[in-house]
Amino acid sequence: MKKTFLATIMLLLFVCLIFTGCAPRLEMPTDYSNVVSNGGFVVGSGNYMFFGNAYKNYSSLQDGDNDGNVNQYSINRLQLDRQTHPRSSWFKIQKNEDGEFDYEKVVDKISAYETANMFVVNEYLYFTTPNIHKNNKNEHEYELSTLFRIRLDGTGLKELYTTEVKGAKIYLTGGENQMLIIFDDNKLKTINVSNNETRVKNLVSDTKVVNIVFPKNQEDISYLYFTTDRTSAQAFSGNLLYKVSIKTGELSQIENLNSSNQTISLLAYDNGILFYSKKVGNENIVYSTDFSTSNSKRHLSYDDDNAISSLIYVSCEDANNNCFAFIYNKKLYIQLMTSENISQAKKLSDKSAKIQFAKDGYIYYSDDDGIYRISAKDKIETQISNITEFISDLMDFDGKYVYFYGKEKNVTSDTYYLYRADTYLDEIRVECIADILDEDVATEVVETEE
């Protein structure tokens, strides 16, 4: 009787694995609260690194592409060497006896696409994927995003939220009481992930949030800053700047930065410093305000025909070198925080540059020839990747390696796999760390002499 019962249980488990897609539980990372590189598409938790294996543009998705087995586009993980690098801020990937990576699939969902987000809080991995739902016309709207969470052992997949508009933003705050902030359809919403909650709450819903900027990196922030339109009863043109308390949702208008007939454009918000421009007529003036000291400073002006873009704050070891980088006429410039005129800005590159991020006094940027970094202090430029086919809209960083999706000559498909470039070296060293499909690798042809 017991043998029959056990056989029945084993048969049911087998049927579950075959027909319902049940997967064996993965090992839970040790010391999973040690999180590295939160955000983007690569994140480390304890002794594992989680990542989107390959990039998939949502405009190329077809019905069923993000449902079921997504093949090379799944979220994978690799074990890290935490014996020789126990608390490293970068990923030393462990290899097997054959010198190869041992990939483990975490979940069959696309996570590397135009607006990728990936975070670890407590024992959960949070990630976005191209929208899995159809609209009332039975059509997919892949430009929207669906937010999921899953345990770090690959179990308990749960849908949390689907955005209402294209281009919605998601940000994870730092500190102990971590919150996911969602900017979607002119509203701000929150999820208290520090308590493992899944309920989405409105932070700002009655006031229209027109524009907001989140910090580039995780920060323990108390307020967020956003602009909203004036109402017809307020008589003047232009817009208004507000702040909202993340804890209470209380709104406050920033009176000293608002004036009649001016339009404020938010540019960046890092290290407690808000960068913004005020427009009057055809003139735009860039300011910064450090809200910890209430110190505001004018930096530069420009007209509509010569706009600046992609402004980013650059914090240096020597505070005298603190500056901000920006793109002006498609070229990369920096300007010291103490400077007050665009004539004091310095051009760093003649390339048509795209700023990626800034870290430890370096500005990382890309152009058609690859990926570079340049020192804000001594202006020395180094190329760190010479792969020319890559996705310039997505890059990540763990403190040593820059991660990106690209293609090398031996990859014959149109798939962009995950690569990383070492920034600790004086020479270019790039490696693919993705699980490449066998059919995507060119077969080497051996030529023989006749």
Side-chain angles (χ1 to χ4, degrees):
M1 185 71 178
K2 288 183 179 179
K3 289 183 179 180
T4 303
F5 176 76
L6 289 173
T8 303
I9 293 297
M10 293 299 294
L11 178 61
L12 288 173
L13 288 173
F14 178 77
V15 171
C16 176
L17 287 169
I18 296 299
F19 293 104
T20 67
C22 298
R25 182 191 298 264
L26 301 174
E27 177 184 289
M28 180 65 78
T30 58
D31 192 20
Y32 56 74
S33 60
N34 176 24
V35 180
V36 177
S37 186
N38 237 347
F41 52 86
V42 173
V43 62
S45 174
N47 60 328
Y48 281 94
M49 165 189 170
F50 297 79
F51 58 95
N53 190 67
Y55 177 89
K56 184 72 170 178
N57 189 309
Y58 65 64
S59 63
S60 67
L61 287 171
Q62 299 178 9
D63 194 20
D65 279 357
N66 200 22
D67 185 18
N69 184 10
V70 299
N71 296 315
Q72 71 268 43
Y73 301 104
S74 63
I75 296 179
N76 289 348
R77 75 177 195 178
L78 287 170
Q79 191 165 3
L80 303 176
D81 178 5
R82 288 305 191 194
Q83 293 184 343
T84 57
H85 299 80
R87 304 290 295 183
S88 172
S89 62
W90 50 273
F91 301 139
K92 172 65 175 176
I93 303 175
Q94 187 168 294
K95 295 184 177 181
N96 59 28
E97 295 178 353
D98 297 325
E100 297 176 345
F101 297 138
D102 285 327
Y103 298 97
E104 293 181 329
K105 182 182 292 187
V106 179
V107 61
D108 263 317
K109 291 294 180 186
I110 296 169
S111 66
Y113 65 112
E114 284 86 336
T115 54
N117 296 276
M118 189 178 290
F119 317 95
V120 168
V121 181
N122 299 330
E123 71 270 27
Y124 290 102
L125 174 73
Y126 297 81
F127 66 94
T128 55
T129 189
N131 174 34
I132 62 170
H133 301 292
K134 292 183 178 181
N135 59 22
N136 54 13
K137 297 180 181 179
N138 201 34
E139 298 170 338
H140 272 295
E141 296 178 287
Y142 287 118
E143 68 275 14
L144 307 181
S145 290
T146 300
L147 173 67
F148 284 92
R149 83 169 188 186
I150 191 169
R151 283 176 56 86
L152 297 171
D153 62 4
T155 63
L157 180 67
K158 181 179 178 64
E159 180 183 340
L160 303 183
Y161 183 79
T162 295
T163 65
E164 298 179 23
V165 297
K166 175 183 176 181
K169 302 176 184 177
I170 300 180
Y171 176 72
L172 176 66
T173 64
E176 294 182 359
N177 188 31
Q178 290 186 282
M179 309 283 288
L180 278 178
I181 312 292
I182 303 171
F183 172 49
D184 182 31
D185 195 23
N186 300 120
K187 302 179 183 67
L188 284 177
K189 305 171 186 287
T190 63
I191 304 176
N192 187 354
V193 290
S194 64
N195 294 333
N196 296 334
E197 295 180 11
T198 59
R199 186 158 65 100
V200 180
K201 302 178 182 179
N202 286 326
L203 181 66
V204 177
S205 56
D206 295 333
T207 301
K208 182 179 179 181
V209 180
V210 176
N211 188 26
I212 189 170
V213 284
F214 294 126
K216 287 287 186 182
N217 302 305
Q218 266 191 285
E219 296 185 22
D220 187 5
I221 53 178
S222 299
Y223 294 94
L224 289 170
Y225 299 86
F226 67 89
T227 58
T228 186
D229 295 331
R230 292 180 185 268
T231 65
S232 57
Q234 290 170 318
F236 298 106
S237 62
N239 60 4
L240 298 172
L241 178 65
Y242 275 81
K243 71 175 181 179
V244 56
S245 167
I246 295 176
K247 183 177 181 180
T248 66
E250 180 182 359
L251 294 177
S252 304
Q253 184 179 333
I254 311 297
E255 296 287 355
N256 61 322
L257 299 185
N258 291 289
S259 57
S260 60
N261 303 317
Q262 287 189 340
T263 300
I264 296 174
S265 297
L266 302 181
L267 301 174
Y269 178 41
D270 292 296
N271 289 53
I273 302 174
L274 182 70
F275 291 86
Y276 54 94
S277 67
K278 284 186 177 182
K279 179 179 179 179
V280 180
N282 194 43
E283 184 183 30
N284 301 269
I285 304 172
V286 174
Y287 296 86
S288 70
T289 296
D290 186 339
F291 288 102
S292 64
T293 61
S294 299
N295 180 34
S296 295
K297 188 175 184 62
R298 170 178 168 151
H299 293 292
L300 56 86
S301 64
Y302 61 93
D303 59 42
D304 288 344
D305 295 328
N306 297 282
I308 69 168
S309 63
S310 304
L311 189 147
I312 187 171
Y313 178 67
V314 184
S315 178
C316 300
E317 185 177 357
D318 182 353
N320 293 324
N321 294 318
N322 287 351
C323 59
F324 58 95
F326 59 95
I327 301 297
Y328 180 70
N329 288 334
K330 298 183 179 180
K331 309 302 180 185
L332 175 63
Y333 287 79
I334 61 168
Q335 183 167 322
L336 291 175
M337 290 295 293
T338 54
S339 299
E340 300 180 352
N341 194 294
I342 195 169
S343 64
Q344 297 169 309
K346 295 183 179 180
K347 185 167 66 171
L348 296 185
S349 174
D350 284 321
K351 304 180 182 71
S352 294
K354 181 173 185 176
I355 297 175
Q356 297 294 341
F357 55 89
K359 186 70 173 179
D360 298 330
Y362 288 96
I363 301 111
Y364 292 78
Y365 71 95
S366 60
D367 75 344
D368 292 339
D369 296 326
I371 304 169
Y372 298 79
R373 78 171 186 177
I374 191 165
S375 168
K377 179 181 178 180
D378 56 29
K379 316 301 184 295
I380 296 176
E381 179 186 76
T382 305
Q383 186 173 13
I384 59 176
S385 170
N386 55 5
I387 293 179
T388 57
E389 288 192 75
F390 64 98
I391 305 299
S392 63
D393 292 336
L394 281 185
M395 284 193 193
D396 215 335
F397 189 54
D398 67 4
K400 179 181 180 182
Y401 296 100
V402 174
Y403 295 83
F404 63 96
Y405 292 96
K407 291 196 301 182
E408 288 185 294
K409 293 180 179 179
N410 65 332
V411 176
T412 57
S413 75
D414 292 329
T415 303
Y416 287 79
Y417 285 100
L418 182 61
Y419 287 79
R420 69 178 186 178
D422 196 335
T423 65
Y424 279 20
L425 303 176
D426 294 329
E427 60 185 26
I428 295 175
R429 181 176 296 177
V430 179
E431 65 174 337
C432 180
I433 59 172
D435 187 9
I436 302 179
L437 293 181
D438 290 340
E439 56 264 36
D440 285 350
V441 180
T443 303
E444 187 176 33
V445 177
V446 180
E447 296 183 359
T448 59
E449 295 182 3
E450 294 183 359

